[in-house]
Amino acid sequence: MSIKVEHLTKEFDNRKVLDNISFNVEEGEVLSIVGFSGSGKSTILKILCGLLKPDSGIIDISDGDIAMVFQYSALFDSLNVFDNISFALQERKEFKGKYTKQDLQEIVKKSLNTVGLSGIEEKFPHELSGGMQKRVSLARAIVTKPKYILYDEPTAGLDPVASTVIEDYILRLRDETKATSIVVTHQMSTITRCSDRVIMLYDGHIVFRGTPQELLKQDNPYTRQFVSASIEGPMKIAADSF
Ligand SMILES: Nc1ncnc2c1ncn2[C@@H]1O[C@H](COP(=O)(O)OP(=O)(O)O)[C@@H](O)[C@H]1O
Ligand SMILES: [Mg+2]
């Protein structure tokens, strides 16, 4: 149930966004991927879940049961919470016809409870706050009991308290599902609270790998610049990249 990525390369418009990247995530581990906007973080997640094809490289995910929590909750606006969450169970062929309406109601209720919500099955996404939308998208991600969960900036745009709530759920999901997880994030609190290990991307390469504690030591120019959010440092930020 580990993830192995070897020599992954992906180019867009003749620019190598990922240039021979290798890393792995051990079973049950949470890996954070950090780096400035445009450094290729989302591209890695999209390749892992099959939305994008790499130019070259080896992706080894032992069982393709992957859930993605997208940056912008990516709920269906025209579906209520119940339908949003049960969608995967009603549409995916391995689940089709497996559950009665009553089963689905139980499953949806339980998955909402896991993220601290209840009684909102009939609500539509626009009736929910940003933090609640993110929690519904977490609930949707876990409903199929995935072995892998990929989170794309799960706390982006949330205030610190709402971020803490989401971080707690990421930890809880790890403990309850034992899923192997990757969290793409900019947020220091998410990195330090949720991850076992961190990799930092810049210019197509991994410029740091280590634990959150090692990242916080800031003992290389990249970690120093990232942690202090400084404009000065080895990482140049293109004006058109954010
Ligand atoms: N489908 C695409 N076509 C062309 N360029 C893309 C595409 N997807 C991403 N890019 C470019 O690749 C770079 C990395 O994007 P992305 O992985 O979304 O970065 P991040 O998630 O780290 O902010 C950016 O410069 C982006 O513009
Ligand atoms: Mg992104």
Side-chain angles (χ1 to χ4, degrees):
M1 300 307 158
S2 60
I3 298 173
K4 281 199 189 74
V5 172
E6 281 176 36
H7 308 300
L8 176 62
T9 297
K10 179 72 188 175
E11 236 176 63
F12 289 118
D13 310 323
N14 293 323
R15 190 169 74 86
K16 278 191 178 143
V17 170
L18 303 172
D19 186 0
N20 198 7
I21 297 243
S22 301
F23 64 89
N24 53 22
V25 196
E26 303 303 329
E27 180 166 353
E29 190 179 38
V30 181
L31 176 78
S32 282
I33 301 182
V34 305
F36 292 136
S37 292
S39 59
K41 305 179 301 293
S42 296
T43 301
I44 290 182
L45 297 192
K46 286 178 192 160
I47 290 171
L48 290 175
C49 74
L51 285 172
L52 270 180
K53 276 206 175 354
D55 296 333
S56 58
I58 300 167
I59 313 288
D60 182 1
I61 300 183
S62 46
D63 171 338
D65 183 13
I66 303 168
M68 180 97 157
V69 179
F70 291 95
Q71 181 166 1
Y72 306 102
S73 318
L75 299 173
F76 299 109
D77 295 332
S78 60
L79 299 183
N80 68 18
V81 168
F82 177 84
D83 288 330
N84 260 291
I85 295 177
S86 62
F87 182 81
L89 295 174
Q90 290 177 294
E91 294 303 316
R92 276 169 55 167
K93 63 176 186 299
E94 66 265 43
F95 295 109
K96 222 164 184 159
K98 192 172 164 190
Y99 300 111
T100 64
K101 181 87 182 171
Q102 205 174 357
D103 293 337
L104 289 173
Q105 280 164 346
E106 267 312 298
I107 294 169
V108 168
K109 189 174 170 193
K110 220 170 139 209
S111 75
L112 281 172
N113 285 344
T114 309
V115 296
L117 296 171
S118 65
I120 60 159
E121 283 87 339
E122 302 299 321
K123 291 211 185 293
F124 286 85
H126 73 268
E127 299 176 282
L128 306 173
S129 67
M132 281 167 91
Q133 289 179 16
K134 292 221 184 216
R135 281 146 78 186
V136 171
S137 70
L138 289 190
R140 179 175 64 178
I142 54 169
V143 80
T144 56
K145 299 208 186 324
K147 305 214 168 52
Y148 306 94
I149 309 180
L150 311 179
Y151 300 91
D152 199 349
E153 307 209 19
T155 49
L158 297 181
D159 65 58
V161 175
S163 294
T164 304
V165 172
I166 295 289
E167 288 158 5
D168 283 344
Y169 287 122
I170 291 173
L171 293 171
R172 203 169 143 189
L173 291 184
R174 178 200 60 188
D175 295 339
E176 285 181 8
T177 65
K178 308 275 187 274
T180 303
S181 310
I182 298 180
V183 183
V184 161
T185 182
H186 290 284
Q187 211 155 307
M188 258 350 268
S189 64
T190 309
I191 297 164
T192 54
R193 292 191 63 225
C194 296
S195 49
D196 301 302
R197 280 188 309 122
V198 186
I199 61 175
M200 187 187 301
L201 294 180
Y202 175 65
D203 200 20
H205 305 285
I206 295 176
V207 294
F208 166 81
R209 41 180 107 220
T211 61
Q213 292 70 35
E214 285 162 346
L215 176 73
L216 287 173
K217 276 192 205 148
Q218 304 182 46
D219 57 4
N220 89 35
Y222 293 99
T223 55
R224 197 171 309 132
Q225 183 179 3
F226 181 80
V227 175
S228 62
S230 175
I231 295 167
E232 309 297 329
M235 298 186 280
K236 305 297 172 219
I237 306 152
D240 61 358
S241 70
F242 55 91

